[in-house]
Amino acid sequence: PGRREPELERAFLHAWMRAVAMRAAAQETPGARAEPRRAFLAGLFADLGWVALVSELAAQGVLGGEALRFAADQHASAGAWIAAEWRLPGECVLAAAQHHAASTLYRADPLLVLLWACEDIAAETSGARDGAPLPYGADAARLAGMSAGIRFDVERACRAASRQLAEALGVASRDAAQRVA
């Protein structure tokens, strides 16, 4: 439905920004112990379960706060299922499945630590947040080795990716409008 569109768009933008932030952090931070491509995939797929659940519930006519709360509560397992269906590496599936689980920070998988560490950057860039609170933030960034300088580089990468995405969507929208005309 039209009234849900901006909400889903923000959720997609948040997933994209977190993916970009995680890839940049993995590239800039050797201590993160995460391969940049896998970091990108883990960030992108972590919240797609929320988008999928909200879309499906809306298609079934279930709207409102209860549907959104259900999606926020259950999106981690739905995201893990989607990641597994796409045959992503196991560490990406686990990051999606566990990104809201109460976990010991120092025992968490490197992709999970990076996911928590990049949430704030993604939220600032996209204007949206994960559907439910995450266990860690600044502590995860410190554990991943994200100094202030690295955080600046990650934020710069996110701003550049945001501009590129806006330009690509603008071009796509104009092309579609021209085809219809």
Side-chain angles (χ1 to χ4, degrees):
R3 66 189 197 92
R4 288 281 176 226
E5 235 173 74
E7 197 169 304
L8 293 176
E9 186 177 307
R10 279 191 304 274
F12 275 118
L13 180 59
H14 177 75
W16 177 258
M17 287 298 108
R18 184 161 55 197
V20 168
M22 288 178 65
R23 180 184 61 210
Q27 288 171 336
E28 299 291 329
T29 314
R33 300 182 338 266
E35 194 270 318
R37 181 178 174 277
R38 288 186 179 191
F40 179 84
L41 290 171
L44 185 63
F45 276 77
D47 286 333
L48 286 187
W50 186 89
V51 174
L53 288 172
V54 170
S55 297
E56 184 59 29
L57 290 169
Q60 300 299 321
V62 180
L63 302 172
E66 189 172 326
L68 294 177
R69 280 189 296 280
F70 174 80
D73 290 343
Q74 302 300 320
H75 77 275
S77 57
W81 182 83
I82 293 168
E85 285 293 307
W86 276 65
R87 301 193 194 293
L88 295 187
E91 61 190 329
C92 297
V93 175
L94 286 174
Q98 297 175 348
H99 78 280
H100 286 288
S103 177
T104 304
L105 183 60
Y106 294 99
R107 290 187 179 172
D109 182 83
L111 281 184
L112 194 54
V113 171
L114 211 52
L115 198 146
W116 293 332
C118 291
E119 171 63 20
D120 289 340
I121 295 170
E124 290 165 13
T125 310
S126 69
R129 285 207 157 274
D130 196 303
L134 295 178
Y136 302 99
D139 291 338
R142 280 192 290 279
L143 183 64
M146 287 176 60
S147 66
I150 290 172
R151 183 180 165 89
F152 177 78
D153 290 339
V154 171
E155 289 171 347
R156 186 177 62 220
C158 285
R159 285 191 299 274
S162 182
R163 281 192 303 275
Q164 289 173 344
L165 183 61
E167 289 169 6
L169 291 175
V171 169
S173 297
R174 283 194 300 277
D175 289 347
Q178 288 172 351
R179 281 195 304 274
V180 171

